[in-house]
Amino acid sequence: MSSITNHPDEIVHHLGNTFQSGKTKPIEYRIKQLKSLQKMLEENREEIIKALFEDLHKSKFESILTEINFVLHEIKYILANIYDWVKPEKPPKEFANILDDVYILHEPFGVALVIGAWNYPLQLTLGPVCGAISAGNCVVIKPSEVAPAIAKFFADKIPQYLDEDAYQVYLGGIPETTELLKQKFDYIFYTGSTVVGKIIQAAASKHLTPTTLELGGKSPVYLDKSANIEIAARRIIWGKFINAGQTCVAPDYLLCSKEVQEKFVLSSKRILREFYGKDPKTSPDYGRIVNDRQFQRLTNLLKTSDIVVGGDTDSSERYIAPTIVTNVKPSDPVMQEEIFGPIFPIINVDNAYEAISYICNNEKPLALYIFSNRKADVREILENTSAGGVTVNDTVMHLTVPTLPFGGVGSSGMGAYHGKYSYDTFTHKKSVLHKDLSFLGEKLSNARYPPLTSGKLSYLQFMLSPGLTFSFKYVSHLATFLLGIGAVYGFQYLYKLNSKANN
Ligand code: NAD
């Protein structure tokens, strides 16, 4: 716990005062804090890697690539673009506002709460925090108690690098978070399960606090025989078993024909051996299940499945081998909840239409993956299904593109972030109409005043008609064009006069 206090009301009050003082608003201040966060990640790299190993048995490679570098990239991207983002927006005007200024100012919400999840405990906590800082907010940072080593790292280090008056780490589990959620925040950004997402939303609605909910769900993969099965299998196996399947956008299940399934299973056996060796348990690159509760839940799912690859478990290490199961029915337990572990069921469908029907009969997923070389089928699936995001011919990778918004839809969440979308998420867009106060301006708009006559109504309808704006734009373009031509002729005329005079 950082030093101000550990009472949620006092923390929120303190940060609220800091926000009111205007301290966090200057761009230079935001940049300084982001650079400090960058320094924290660079100077404590080894400590972070150690903590991630302690929490999740994460390899050094994955810790650097999917956690530390991910956040560093986000910070660098924000630093490179922030001056452009903060500029007031100038939307097009209608004819009725021809004498006025119409613009959109960006203002931070105030005190934001960021609640992180355990599976990528650094990235999923600090990623949104970067967005909140870039937009000028104060932040209460609540890491997941399920990844205690990283939570402790935040509590120790963040006060050393970030301004404690504006950014506070608050530790705890369900009781502490419940207490925290009683406070009135100006924004809540939550990452975690759909079940808890509803609790967060209910708490936020008591204060009408806007929220972003980054939730989960069963993300399907569709694979057809037009795809190169070997390449597809490598990309699917990688996306599924990275972090031992504990990735929100991990492929949850595969939809393919029996014929494709046979080839996929054969390729997968070979690929898994290549990735993790003969015994994945001894591979330094293969993770563990985060806690006993999750381990128990996953091993229960295995009991009712037809295992064709893997299936070994070891409770002493919370190890579950990369596992593929077939002959799966939609009513099986493994298809009733998000798996969030290294178990990959295959459901047989004969074509893209059956896949669409299966996907649409279930909740909207966070991610959807399509492996196919048939453009018409890819289009058909894209147009007839809904998902937070899609990668065609790969898995997971859409979330690495900073120009794409990352978020869910329906029960997989609401709102989005990454890059500019993070800045936008934590920014209120304040509309400003700055009216002209001159006699002419008053003349243009005084038809709204009583006594209200039919003549005034016709005049206002004419002034507000979209056609008038269009004609005005057209006329103004024409006028600019004619002025341009006039200027050219004018200059030529002056040039000739000047030449005559010199001769
Ligand atoms: P978790 O247990 O770490 O919970 C997330 C946060 O919610 C934690 O900070 C925790 O303290 C808090 N919390 C838990 N129960 C609470 C309660 N009753 N009241 C208030 N706060 C509570 O993580 P999890 O929920 O097990 O995470 C797994 C889920 O998160 C999966 O469904 C996964 O798909 C989803 N997820 C989504 C994303 C995304 O970006 N969309 C990323 C990671 C995980």
mmCIF file of all heavy atoms in Angstrom, residues 17-41:
data_model
loop_
_atom_site.group_PDB
_atom_site.id
_atom_site.type_symbol
_atom_site.label_atom_id
_atom_site.label_comp_id
_atom_site.label_asym_id
_atom_site.label_seq_id
_atom_site.Cartn_x
_atom_site.Cartn_y
_atom_site.Cartn_z
ATOM 1 N N ASN A 17 -8.888 16.012 -4.926
ATOM 2 C CA ASN A 17 -8.323 17.353 -4.682
ATOM 3 C C ASN A 17 -7.196 17.650 -5.663
ATOM 4 O O ASN A 17 -7.079 18.761 -6.178
ATOM 5 C CB ASN A 17 -7.777 17.458 -3.251
ATOM 6 C CG ASN A 17 -8.910 17.615 -2.261
ATOM 7 O OD1 ASN A 17 -10.033 17.952 -2.657
ATOM 8 N ND2 ASN A 17 -8.637 17.357 -0.991
ATOM 9 N N THR A 18 -6.359 16.631 -5.901
ATOM 10 C CA THR A 18 -5.251 16.827 -6.855
ATOM 11 C C THR A 18 -5.821 17.154 -8.231
ATOM 12 O O THR A 18 -5.346 18.075 -8.907
ATOM 13 C CB THR A 18 -4.391 15.538 -6.956
ATOM 14 O OG1 THR A 18 -3.947 15.199 -5.657
ATOM 15 C CG2 THR A 18 -3.208 15.733 -7.897
ATOM 16 N N PHE A 19 -6.848 16.415 -8.618
ATOM 17 C CA PHE A 19 -7.432 16.663 -9.948
ATOM 18 C C PHE A 19 -7.993 18.076 -10.032
ATOM 19 O O PHE A 19 -7.742 18.797 -11.003
ATOM 20 C CB PHE A 19 -8.513 15.623 -10.259
ATOM 21 C CG PHE A 19 -9.073 15.803 -11.631
ATOM 22 C CD1 PHE A 19 -8.322 15.447 -12.750
ATOM 23 C CD2 PHE A 19 -10.311 16.391 -11.832
ATOM 24 C CE1 PHE A 19 -8.806 15.657 -14.032
ATOM 25 C CE2 PHE A 19 -10.801 16.596 -13.113
ATOM 26 C CZ PHE A 19 -10.047 16.229 -14.210
ATOM 27 N N GLN A 20 -8.718 18.473 -8.977
ATOM 28 C CA GLN A 20 -9.320 19.815 -8.971
ATOM 29 C C GLN A 20 -8.259 20.908 -9.058
ATOM 30 O O GLN A 20 -8.510 21.973 -9.624
ATOM 31 C CB GLN A 20 -10.155 20.028 -7.700
ATOM 32 C CG GLN A 20 -11.485 19.304 -7.701
ATOM 33 C CD GLN A 20 -12.323 19.588 -8.944
ATOM 34 O OE1 GLN A 20 -12.272 20.677 -9.508
ATOM 35 N NE2 GLN A 20 -13.059 18.593 -9.421
ATOM 36 N N SER A 21 -7.081 20.619 -8.508
ATOM 37 C CA SER A 21 -6.010 21.635 -8.537
ATOM 38 C C SER A 21 -5.476 21.836 -9.961
ATOM 39 O O SER A 21 -4.755 22.785 -10.229
ATOM 40 C CB SER A 21 -4.861 21.212 -7.615
ATOM 41 O OG SER A 21 -4.113 20.171 -8.248
ATOM 42 N N GLY A 22 -5.804 20.925 -10.861
ATOM 43 C CA GLY A 22 -5.361 21.065 -12.258
ATOM 44 C C GLY A 22 -3.968 20.505 -12.508
ATOM 45 O O GLY A 22 -3.441 20.568 -13.628
ATOM 46 N N LYS A 23 -3.375 19.887 -11.484
ATOM 47 C CA LYS A 23 -1.985 19.421 -11.580
ATOM 48 C C LYS A 23 -1.759 18.425 -12.721
ATOM 49 O O LYS A 23 -0.715 18.434 -13.363
ATOM 50 C CB LYS A 23 -1.621 18.772 -10.237
ATOM 51 C CG LYS A 23 -0.155 18.438 -10.082
ATOM 52 C CD LYS A 23 0.094 17.788 -8.718
ATOM 53 C CE LYS A 23 1.574 17.647 -8.459
ATOM 54 N NZ LYS A 23 1.849 16.899 -7.225
ATOM 55 N N THR A 24 -2.732 17.538 -12.946
ATOM 56 C CA THR A 24 -2.503 16.442 -13.909
ATOM 57 C C THR A 24 -2.844 16.825 -15.353
ATOM 58 O O THR A 24 -2.675 16.012 -16.252
ATOM 59 C CB THR A 24 -3.357 15.199 -13.539
ATOM 60 O OG1 THR A 24 -4.737 15.592 -13.522
ATOM 61 C CG2 THR A 24 -2.966 14.644 -12.196
ATOM 62 N N LYS A 25 -3.330 18.057 -15.538
ATOM 63 C CA LYS A 25 -3.814 18.410 -16.879
ATOM 64 C C LYS A 25 -2.719 18.816 -17.879
ATOM 65 O O LYS A 25 -2.823 18.463 -19.055
ATOM 66 C CB LYS A 25 -4.874 19.501 -16.786
ATOM 67 C CG LYS A 25 -6.198 18.970 -16.251
ATOM 68 C CD LYS A 25 -7.271 20.021 -16.303
ATOM 69 C CE LYS A 25 -8.551 19.499 -15.680
ATOM 70 N NZ LYS A 25 -9.524 20.563 -15.471
ATOM 71 N N PRO A 26 -1.682 19.562 -17.485
ATOM 72 C CA PRO A 26 -0.700 19.977 -18.499
ATOM 73 C C PRO A 26 -0.071 18.773 -19.222
ATOM 74 O O PRO A 26 0.261 17.765 -18.584
ATOM 75 C CB PRO A 26 0.354 20.736 -17.679
ATOM 76 C CG PRO A 26 -0.348 21.134 -16.432
ATOM 77 C CD PRO A 26 -1.347 20.062 -16.151
ATOM 78 N N ILE A 27 0.105 18.922 -20.521
ATOM 79 C CA ILE A 27 0.648 17.815 -21.320
ATOM 80 C C ILE A 27 2.045 17.434 -20.815
ATOM 81 O O ILE A 27 2.401 16.255 -20.775
ATOM 82 C CB ILE A 27 0.753 18.203 -22.824
ATOM 83 C CG1 ILE A 27 -0.541 18.850 -23.300
ATOM 84 C CG2 ILE A 27 1.086 16.991 -23.693
ATOM 85 C CD1 ILE A 27 -1.768 18.028 -23.063
ATOM 86 N N GLU A 28 2.828 18.437 -20.430
ATOM 87 C CA GLU A 28 4.196 18.162 -19.968
ATOM 88 C C GLU A 28 4.177 17.257 -18.729
ATOM 89 O O GLU A 28 5.028 16.399 -18.563
ATOM 90 C CB GLU A 28 4.942 19.481 -19.635
ATOM 91 C CG GLU A 28 5.239 20.355 -20.847
ATOM 92 C CD GLU A 28 3.984 20.954 -21.488
ATOM 93 O OE1 GLU A 28 2.980 21.153 -20.766
ATOM 94 O OE2 GLU A 28 4.000 21.172 -22.722
ATOM 95 N N TYR A 29 3.194 17.495 -17.845
ATOM 96 C CA TYR A 29 3.064 16.666 -16.644
ATOM 97 C C TYR A 29 2.755 15.215 -17.034
ATOM 98 O O TYR A 29 3.366 14.268 -16.534
ATOM 99 C CB TYR A 29 1.955 17.219 -15.748
ATOM 100 C CG TYR A 29 1.642 16.357 -14.549
ATOM 101 C CD1 TYR A 29 2.317 16.528 -13.342
ATOM 102 C CD2 TYR A 29 0.675 15.351 -14.615
ATOM 103 C CE1 TYR A 29 2.043 15.727 -12.241
ATOM 104 C CE2 TYR A 29 0.390 14.547 -13.527
ATOM 105 C CZ TYR A 29 1.074 14.736 -12.334
ATOM 106 O OH TYR A 29 0.801 13.929 -11.257
ATOM 107 N N ARG A 30 1.814 15.044 -17.966
ATOM 108 C CA ARG A 30 1.417 13.691 -18.395
ATOM 109 C C ARG A 30 2.627 12.975 -19.003
ATOM 110 O O ARG A 30 2.875 11.798 -18.716
ATOM 111 C CB ARG A 30 0.304 13.768 -19.450
ATOM 112 C CG ARG A 30 -0.884 14.589 -19.017
ATOM 113 C CD ARG A 30 -1.947 14.591 -20.100
ATOM 114 N NE ARG A 30 -2.904 15.684 -19.944
ATOM 115 C CZ ARG A 30 -3.945 15.903 -20.715
ATOM 116 N NH1 ARG A 30 -4.193 15.092 -21.717
ATOM 117 N NH2 ARG A 30 -4.754 16.915 -20.516
ATOM 118 N N ILE A 31 3.379 13.720 -19.828
ATOM 119 C CA ILE A 31 4.551 13.123 -20.488
ATOM 120 C C ILE A 31 5.584 12.708 -19.443
ATOM 121 O O ILE A 31 6.161 11.616 -19.517
ATOM 122 C CB ILE A 31 5.147 14.117 -21.519
ATOM 123 C CG1 ILE A 31 4.175 14.246 -22.698
ATOM 124 C CG2 ILE A 31 6.530 13.697 -21.981
ATOM 125 C CD1 ILE A 31 4.540 15.290 -23.716
ATOM 126 N N LYS A 32 5.782 13.574 -18.454
ATOM 127 C CA LYS A 32 6.768 13.268 -17.403
ATOM 128 C C LYS A 32 6.382 11.978 -16.671
ATOM 129 O O LYS A 32 7.229 11.115 -16.408
ATOM 130 C CB LYS A 32 6.827 14.459 -16.430
ATOM 131 C CG LYS A 32 7.956 14.385 -15.451
ATOM 132 C CD LYS A 32 8.106 15.674 -14.681
ATOM 133 C CE LYS A 32 9.023 15.417 -13.520
ATOM 134 N NZ LYS A 32 8.529 15.868 -12.238
ATOM 135 N N GLN A 33 5.103 11.834 -16.357
ATOM 136 C CA GLN A 33 4.652 10.636 -15.641
ATOM 137 C C GLN A 33 4.807 9.385 -16.519
ATOM 138 O O GLN A 33 5.235 8.329 -16.048
ATOM 139 C CB GLN A 33 3.188 10.792 -15.206
ATOM 140 C CG GLN A 33 2.949 11.937 -14.246
ATOM 141 C CD GLN A 33 3.773 11.832 -12.978
ATOM 142 O OE1 GLN A 33 3.888 10.757 -12.388
ATOM 143 N NE2 GLN A 33 4.375 12.936 -12.554
ATOM 144 N N LEU A 34 4.482 9.520 -17.794
ATOM 145 C CA LEU A 34 4.600 8.356 -18.695
ATOM 146 C C LEU A 34 6.066 7.948 -18.848
ATOM 147 O O LEU A 34 6.396 6.750 -18.872
ATOM 148 C CB LEU A 34 3.989 8.683 -20.068
ATOM 149 C CG LEU A 34 2.452 8.729 -20.084
ATOM 150 C CD1 LEU A 34 1.936 9.377 -21.353
ATOM 151 C CD2 LEU A 34 1.855 7.327 -19.936
ATOM 152 N N LYS A 35 6.949 8.946 -18.930
ATOM 153 C CA LYS A 35 8.383 8.629 -19.048
ATOM 154 C C LYS A 35 8.885 7.967 -17.773
ATOM 155 O O LYS A 35 9.764 7.107 -17.801
ATOM 156 C CB LYS A 35 9.185 9.896 -19.352
ATOM 157 C CG LYS A 35 9.019 10.341 -20.801
ATOM 158 C CD LYS A 35 9.976 11.443 -21.158
ATOM 159 C CE LYS A 35 9.896 11.730 -22.653
ATOM 160 N NZ LYS A 35 10.476 13.031 -22.992
ATOM 161 N N SER A 36 8.322 8.372 -16.646
ATOM 162 C CA SER A 36 8.708 7.787 -15.370
ATOM 163 C C SER A 36 8.256 6.323 -15.288
ATOM 164 O O SER A 36 8.980 5.466 -14.771
ATOM 165 C CB SER A 36 8.032 8.599 -14.270
ATOM 166 O OG SER A 36 8.876 8.788 -13.217
ATOM 167 N N LEU A 37 7.074 6.085 -15.821
ATOM 168 C CA LEU A 37 6.556 4.707 -15.858
ATOM 169 C C LEU A 37 7.448 3.845 -16.760
ATOM 170 O O LEU A 37 7.763 2.693 -16.446
ATOM 171 C CB LEU A 37 5.118 4.731 -16.402
ATOM 172 C CG LEU A 37 4.230 3.536 -16.107
ATOM 173 C CD1 LEU A 37 4.103 3.299 -14.614
ATOM 174 C CD2 LEU A 37 2.836 3.753 -16.699
ATOM 175 N N GLN A 38 7.852 4.440 -17.867
ATOM 176 C CA GLN A 38 8.775 3.764 -18.800
ATOM 177 C C GLN A 38 10.073 3.401 -18.064
ATOM 178 O O GLN A 38 10.570 2.282 -18.163
ATOM 179 C CB GLN A 38 9.052 4.732 -19.944
ATOM 180 C CG GLN A 38 9.992 4.225 -20.989
ATOM 181 C CD GLN A 38 10.143 5.252 -22.136
ATOM 182 O OE1 GLN A 38 9.528 6.302 -22.130
ATOM 183 N NE2 GLN A 38 10.952 4.918 -23.098
ATOM 184 N N LYS A 39 10.570 4.355 -17.286
ATOM 185 C CA LYS A 39 11.809 4.138 -16.530
ATOM 186 C C LYS A 39 11.611 3.003 -15.514
ATOM 187 O O LYS A 39 12.482 2.150 -15.339
ATOM 188 C CB LYS A 39 12.156 5.435 -15.807
ATOM 189 C CG LYS A 39 13.602 5.602 -15.481
ATOM 190 C CD LYS A 39 13.882 7.057 -15.144
ATOM 191 C CE LYS A 39 15.077 7.146 -14.263
ATOM 192 N NZ LYS A 39 14.999 8.138 -13.222
ATOM 193 N N MET A 40 10.446 2.990 -14.883
ATOM 194 C CA MET A 40 10.165 1.943 -13.888
ATOM 195 C C MET A 40 10.256 0.556 -14.540
ATOM 196 O O MET A 40 10.846 -0.362 -13.971
ATOM 197 C CB MET A 40 8.761 2.143 -13.314
ATOM 198 C CG MET A 40 8.380 1.116 -12.270
ATOM 199 S SD MET A 40 6.683 1.283 -11.718
ATOM 200 C CE MET A 40 5.859 0.156 -12.822
ATOM 201 N N LEU A 41 9.714 0.440 -15.756
ATOM 202 C CA LEU A 41 9.733 -0.860 -16.444
ATOM 203 C C LEU A 41 11.150 -1.219 -16.877
ATOM 204 O O LEU A 41 11.559 -2.375 -16.800
ATOM 205 C CB LEU A 41 8.800 -0.825 -17.656
ATOM 206 C CG LEU A 41 7.314 -0.625 -17.338
ATOM 207 C CD1 LEU A 41 6.500 -0.499 -18.607
ATOM 208 C CD2 LEU A 41 6.775 -1.771 -16.493
#
